Amino acid sequence: MQRLYIAGLPVDNVSSEEAIAVLESFILEGSPHLVVTLNPEMVVRASHDAEFRRIVLSASLVIPDGIGIVLASRLLGTPLKERVAGVDTVERFAALAAKKGYRPFFLGAAPGVAQKAASTLAQRYPGFKAAGFYSGSPSPAEEETILKMVREASPDALFVAYGSPAQEKWIARNLHRLGVPVAMGVGGAFDFIAGVVPRAPKVIQKVGLEWLFRLLIQPWRWRRQLALPVFCFLVLREKFKG
């Protein structure tokens, strides 16, 4: 894989299909791998959160989840192949899992959402089976219970929907105790798959305005958009320094 850097953070230049192939290679290898789905907000977070920055730098795979990451790569002269959305990656992994017999564990989201997402994927991809699902929380008080649950389920992959940076910090803290080859933070992916939150139409996704659609249906997210000017500043600073 070609690894690029944006504002000092790594991002791998992979297509959607290549990302799935890498995940499968991690499963076949068997050792624990952290996968990060990078977006502009996370880049800004890493600029002032040293722990989170170290976690992203340590990731085995960093996929460009966010049109802002793709646009920044073009501005910096090393264009990424495409946006690889976390929710699409979960969907594609489910399709692969249905064929190969891989069993992921769904952790996080509101009570019942992970189970509904797993059920939805089983309907879409006959043969798909989840190793387990649990909402839980990233609280250290629940860690031992969750670790026991995941280890007993023995999944091939763990998708964690606690939101960033909580999900990445939870994974990094427990990666070597989980016994799972792939652990990936997926943000709101379960909500989209389960139909709890509507996803933007394909045409809006293709023109890179999915973030705007989500803002319109979830106005409370406006505070998160304040990270965008900071992201632009970080990218422009890198551009002119380079």
Side-chain angles (χ1 to χ4, degrees):
M1 295 182 296
Q2 179 191 21
R3 174 158 281 196
L4 315 176
Y5 285 83
I6 294 175
L9 291 184
V11 58
D12 294 304
N13 193 7
V14 291
S15 66
S16 300
E17 292 76 15
E18 289 167 342
I20 293 300
V22 173
L23 294 186
E24 184 172 25
S25 74
F26 291 163
I27 291 172
L28 296 175
E29 182 185 328
S31 58
H33 298 82
L34 166 63
V35 179
V36 171
T37 58
L38 192 69
N39 62 33
E41 186 180 351
M42 294 165 72
V43 173
V44 173
R45 177 77 188 205
S47 70
H48 59 80
D49 184 334
E51 178 191 2
F52 183 59
R53 183 181 183 83
R54 285 193 298 269
I55 290 169
V56 178
L57 287 168
S58 73
S60 300
L61 176 66
V62 182
I63 63 177
D65 180 6
I67 191 63
I69 298 296
V70 176
L71 295 175
S73 73
R74 294 173 185 170
L75 179 66
L76 295 172
T78 52
L80 291 160
K81 294 176 182 177
E82 62 177 328
R83 179 193 175 206
V84 184
V87 59
D88 293 332
T89 303
V90 175
E91 285 260 5
R92 290 189 179 93
F93 183 86
L96 174 70
K99 296 177 182 177
K100 300 288 188 74
Y102 300 137
R103 298 162 55 254
F105 193 105
F106 288 5
L107 176 65
V113 173
Q115 181 176 0
K116 188 174 181 182
S119 176
T120 299
L121 292 173
Q123 292 173 10
R124 290 178 186 170
Y125 308 104
F128 172 82
K129 292 183 180 179
F133 33 78
Y134 182 65
S135 58
S137 80
S139 168
E142 275 203 85
E143 270 181 20
E144 293 305 322
T145 299
I146 295 173
L147 286 171
K148 183 174 184 293
M149 190 181 302
V150 173
R151 284 195 297 259
E152 287 179 352
S154 189
D156 298 291
L158 173 67
F159 297 121
V160 184
Y162 285 147
S164 186
Q167 59 196 17
E168 288 81 18
K169 291 185 177 183
W170 189 94
I171 292 170
R173 202 162 57 238
N174 296 292
L175 184 62
H176 294 281
R177 297 200 293 159
L178 286 163
V180 179
V182 173
M184 172 176 156
V186 296
F190 299 164
D191 292 330
F192 288 127
I193 294 169
V196 174
V197 176
R199 197 170 179 199
K202 292 290 185 182
V203 64
I204 293 179
Q205 295 179 39
K206 286 181 180 179
V207 297
L209 292 176
E210 188 170 8
W211 63 273
L212 180 58
F213 178 87
R214 195 168 181 187
L215 180 61
L216 291 173
I217 63 171
Q218 296 177 317
W220 56 266
R221 294 175 62 88
W222 70 268
R223 291 181 181 84
R224 301 179 63 169
Q225 302 307 315
L226 296 177
L228 292 179
V230 182
F231 175 72
C232 291
F233 167 77
L234 294 173
V235 172
L236 289 171
R237 183 176 66 178
E238 182 174 341
K239 170 75 173 176
F240 290 118
K241 278 187 177 180

